[in-house]
Amino acid sequence: MTATALSLVDSARPARAVIPARHWRWTQPALVIVAGVLMLGVVRPAVFDLRVFTLVVIYALAAVGLNVLVGFTGVVSIANAMFLAVGGYAWARLADAYGPGIALVSGLVIAVVLALVLGLLLLRLEAYYFAVATLAVGSFATVVMRNWTSVTNSDAGIIGLGYLPVPGLTAVQSVFFLGIILLAFALYFQETLRTSSVGLALLSTRFDAPGSQALGIGIAQSRIIAFAFSAATAALGGALMVQLTGGAFPDQFSITHSISLLVIPIIGGRGWRWATIVGALVVIALPEYFRFLDEYRLVAYGVLVTLVALFVPGGARQLVTWMDTAWRRGVSHLRRKTTSTSGAPA
Amino acid sequence: MEQVRERRVHGDHGQVTELAYFVVIGLGIGAVYALSGLGIVTLFTGSGLLNFAQGDLMVLGALTAAGVAGSGHGYVAALGAAIAVTGIAGLLLGGLFALPLRQRGFDIDVVVIGTLGVAITMTNLLGIWFGREPERIESPVASATIPIGNFFAPMHYALMLVGAVVVFFGMRLLMRRTDLGLQLRAVAAGVSAARDSGVRIVRMLIVSWLIAAVVGGAAGVLVASVVPVVPESATMLGVNGFSAAILGGLANPFGVLIGGPILGVTESLSGAYLNETVRQAVAPVVLLATLLLRPRGLFASRAKARTV
């Protein structure tokens, strides 16, 4: 545990700043919005590509909370497709009747309340047992979705769903735009959380639970906060997902999707601020462009997931850090060389 | 489990014999869950890893055996082939999961994601190799039945119970009476302490994966005579195995042997007297209820489940 923790905080390099850089609160959401606007206005991808990118944005949004849960507190949940479903079905049932705002917010609220209840009940468990418990919750949710016909219309699903139109944009573009805005908000919140005392408390429980408990941090409470946040972003993502596909079906919210959601922050690098965007690009977009692999796509995906978990547990971020350290080492090496040849004291 | 309904004979009969019939069926199905759970518990007590791919190992065994049996070989040959193939898979997985342990310990999320990745890989590979048609294996005791009043329970259910008991005692013998078992338990108790006492960690990890995979493979072969198996059955088999394992206590093979049948009987009875929806919900609900009320399992061992 401690050995892994050490490798993750990268003990080889001295910390650049004690307080995490606060400017990312603004710069990261701004960069995301700029990239999104450029995508719509300048790049103008084909419809298929835009659909893929929209799905990437949706998954990146849905996984932001899970990034906080897994990356900050080290707790693993295999039930988050359930919160996708809550958001999705809330949109499907309420958007036409009560308007898009009510639909989005009610999905969010139901998901958060559900997460709080589940968290209160289950987060007292040790992390392993919690993972198994969420697996049970996830499979129970699947049974509910398939059988609660009055709400979910079981396997036939609810079709013909509307989307939130943005003036001057097509359907997919509107969903993409809304996704970008919500993603920017979620990322802002993620970064605010990380630099707040609550976020630092969460981080401390991950690396040294007894130690943080001794400092007066309630481990269960902080984990519940993170779990509720993971439910909130997943519910937003679910609402967007049914807007993109135009229908809500139990198959969209299966355990497979819970696993995808969980894999996204891991592949990106749990706890990293860019983790869900990088992870969603790998998990969602890459398979779409590897169609030549045909049925071996998902096999390759599974192998990638296992290999990343076992050998690059820091995900894409670890690769970035490796390159960064190599670059720095190279630069300082060069600098030393040039100074020594010019005769100046190092 | 579908045949439970098919074999339900309607006619003039006592309610008690009907109940007894469904209990016997439930015990048999429970034996399957116990076998699935035993695989999970083997790995947990042998290495401290929680395997989310156990269902896939069972499916691998079942589909291999179905292939061999389908090409005209006998049941024993099919079982042997299944054990050989899952054994190889276990060795490979053990090697893979042992590699990173040479430098460091495991985080929980790494284990969960790693085995989930194995599950994704295997489900899809099995779909490609064996197709997605449901496969069945003709039981060696297909013609024999156990008479219960007017009902006739297939003898195979008894065979599954026997299988679960045999595997349990085999494991108990290994874990309690051999040096290998002692070393396995040492690894599960703490990797670094075990390493300091001279236990070969990598070797032990591979051994425990091997045992878990072989138990899973044999269990899969037994299951395939009762439930038609497709690659996607793995999730269901895995969840039920976890339910049985947690119900009995994750670190306690005896608990699994009891927990599986409890789960199976509950499922069988709720399927018979309530409806299919309730039957599907039994395993996850039992699992959740156990975690809420008695997280150490019905037969609490010393393993702790709560930190906070």
Side-chain angles (χ1 to χ4, degrees):
Chain A
M1 172 83 201
T2 42
T4 325
L6 276 179
S7 72
L8 278 168
V9 294
D10 191 14
S11 55
R13 200 166 40 135
R16 271 181 245 166
V18 178
I19 301 170
R22 284 178 189 235
H23 73 87
W24 283 110
R25 280 187 195 181
W26 294 107
T27 34
Q28 192 192 15
L31 284 174
V32 166
I33 289 179
V34 166
V37 170
L38 282 179
M39 180 70 83
L40 284 183
V42 180
V43 181
R44 291 178 174 281
V47 179
F48 173 78
D49 295 320
L50 188 64
R51 281 190 85 88
V52 173
F53 288 131
T54 312
L55 208 56
V56 167
V57 170
I58 291 171
Y59 267 96
L61 165 67
V64 167
L66 212 50
N67 186 32
V68 168
L69 185 70
V70 180
F72 289 15
T73 65
V75 171
V76 176
S77 158
I78 322 177
N80 273 45
M82 177 176 70
F83 302 124
L84 279 182
V86 169
Y89 283 117
W91 180 272
R93 282 292 171 206
L94 304 175
D96 282 341
Y98 300 97
I102 299 280
L104 266 184
V105 171
S106 56
L108 191 83
V109 169
I110 297 170
V112 168
V113 169
L114 198 60
L116 286 176
V117 172
L118 283 175
L120 280 173
L121 291 175
L122 296 176
L123 274 167
R124 295 171 304 162
L125 297 168
E126 201 180 281
Y128 251 151
Y129 288 79
F130 181 72
V132 180
T134 54
L135 182 67
V137 170
S139 25
F140 183 67
T142 316
V143 175
V144 170
M145 268 186 279
R146 290 198 189 287
N147 293 291
W148 197 7
T149 315
S150 60
V151 172
T152 64
N153 199 18
S154 63
D155 282 332
I158 308 165
I159 52 167
L161 300 179
Y163 59 96
L164 189 65
V166 178
L169 296 182
T170 63
V172 181
Q173 284 175 333
S174 303
V175 180
F176 180 80
F177 187 74
L178 183 60
I180 285 286
I181 300 292
L182 289 175
L183 177 62
F185 269 110
L187 291 173
Y188 174 79
F189 192 83
Q190 172 183 247
E191 204 55 22
T192 314
L193 186 67
R194 202 173 71 89
T195 49
S196 72
S197 53
V198 178
L200 293 176
L202 290 179
L203 279 166
S204 75
T205 62
R206 167 166 185 194
F207 292 118
D208 189 352
S212 58
Q213 213 164 12
L215 289 172
I217 294 164
I219 296 181
Q221 287 93 315
S222 39
R223 284 179 179 171
I224 288 170
I225 293 173
F227 191 50
F229 182 47
S230 81
T233 57
L236 291 177
L240 288 173
M241 204 176 286
V242 299
Q243 292 180 42
L244 183 67
T245 50
F249 312 95
D251 281 348
Q252 283 173 302
F253 311 117
S254 65
I255 293 205
T256 320
H257 295 85
S258 290
I259 297 174
S260 303
L261 274 181
L262 179 59
V263 164
I264 285 171
I266 302 277
I267 286 198
R270 345 164 231 188
W272 189 30
R273 61 176 74 83
W274 297 102
T276 64
I277 297 176
V278 176
L281 278 171
V282 174
V283 173
I284 307 298
L286 223 51
E288 297 295 336
Y289 296 102
F290 277 81
R291 288 211 175 267
F292 65 89
L293 287 176
D294 202 26
E295 40 187 9
Y296 283 96
R297 265 185 324 144
L298 287 168
V299 177
Y301 166 64
V303 171
L304 176 74
V305 169
T306 310
L307 293 182
V308 165
L310 291 181
F311 301 107
V312 201
R317 183 198 199 176
Q318 198 172 341
L319 299 179
V320 171
T321 338
W322 277 344
M323 286 190 281
D324 188 46
T325 357
W327 169 253
R328 272 159 202 282
R329 208 168 284 160
V331 167
S332 65
H333 186 69
L334 273 178
R335 198 171 287 157
R336 225 175 299 140
K337 243 183 183 168
T338 47
T339 46
S340 62
T341 45
S342 65
Chain B
M1 267 150 280
E2 290 303 315
Q3 303 104 51
V4 173
R5 282 153 188 283
E6 291 163 26
R7 287 178 203 271
R8 192 171 169 180
V9 186
H10 293 283
D12 190 32
H13 48 69
Q15 297 237 311
V16 181
T17 50
E18 192 186 57
L19 185 70
Y21 169 75
F22 283 115
V23 167
V24 169
I25 296 287
L27 284 176
I29 294 169
V32 175
Y33 299 160
L35 280 167
S36 168
L38 276 174
I40 291 168
V41 168
T42 314
L43 195 64
F44 190 73
T45 50
S47 66
L49 299 182
L50 213 47
N51 185 8
F52 285 84
Q54 187 66 29
D56 286 282
L57 288 168
M58 292 175 73
V59 172
L60 175 64
L63 293 182
T64 311
V68 173
S71 60
H73 302 280
Y75 193 79
V76 178
L79 186 66
I83 287 178
V85 169
T86 48
I88 293 169
L91 284 178
L92 290 176
L93 289 174
L96 191 66
F97 276 77
L99 277 179
L101 259 192
R102 299 212 304 229
Q103 286 96 27
R104 54 185 172 77
F106 271 128
D107 262 358
I108 285 148
D109 32 6
V110 166
V111 176
V112 173
I113 302 279
T115 55
L116 280 175
V118 172
I120 298 169
T121 312
M122 286 185 68
T123 304
N124 288 293
L125 267 186
L126 292 174
I128 295 168
W129 288 344
F130 293 99
R132 292 192 163 78
E133 293 295 311
E135 299 275 0
R136 291 199 55 180
I137 306 167
E138 191 66 20
S139 165
V141 287
S143 49
T145 51
I146 312 164
I148 306 163
N150 293 341
F151 294 94
F152 295 96
M155 189 58 104
H156 192 78
Y157 286 86
L159 190 64
M160 291 193 293
L161 271 173
V162 172
V165 172
V166 166
V167 169
F168 165 73
F169 277 108
M171 263 181 60
R172 191 174 172 82
L173 212 62
L174 178 75
M175 285 295 182
R176 299 276 162 189
R177 301 271 175 229
T178 64
D179 186 53
L180 186 68
L182 186 66
Q183 295 188 40
L184 289 172
R185 285 189 289 145
V187 175
V191 170
S192 38
R195 186 184 284 128
D196 291 349
S197 332
V199 175
R200 309 291 288 268
I201 305 290
V202 172
R203 207 171 287 174
M204 288 306 119
L205 268 176
I206 294 177
V207 167
S208 50
W209 270 98
L210 176 65
I211 298 172
V214 167
V215 169
V221 176
L222 285 174
V223 178
S225 299
V226 184
V227 196
V229 173
V230 285
E232 281 73 22
S233 316
T235 317
M236 189 273 287
L237 290 171
V239 170
N240 289 327
F242 270 120
S243 306
I246 299 259
L247 185 61
L250 200 45
N252 182 358
F254 176 72
V256 181
L257 198 63
I258 305 299
I262 292 179
L263 192 66
V265 171
T266 319
E267 248 190 23
S268 160
L269 291 182
S270 54
Y273 295 107
L274 300 167
N275 58 44
E276 178 65 16
T277 312
V278 179
R279 197 189 64 73
Q280 287 174 359
V282 163
V285 168
V286 165
L287 177 47
L288 281 175
T290 317
L291 284 172
L292 287 178
L293 304 174
R294 258 188 101 81
R296 291 168 172 194
L298 290 180
F299 310 96
S301 73
R302 271 156 293 166
K304 69 176 170 44
R306 278 184 185 169
T307 45
V308 192

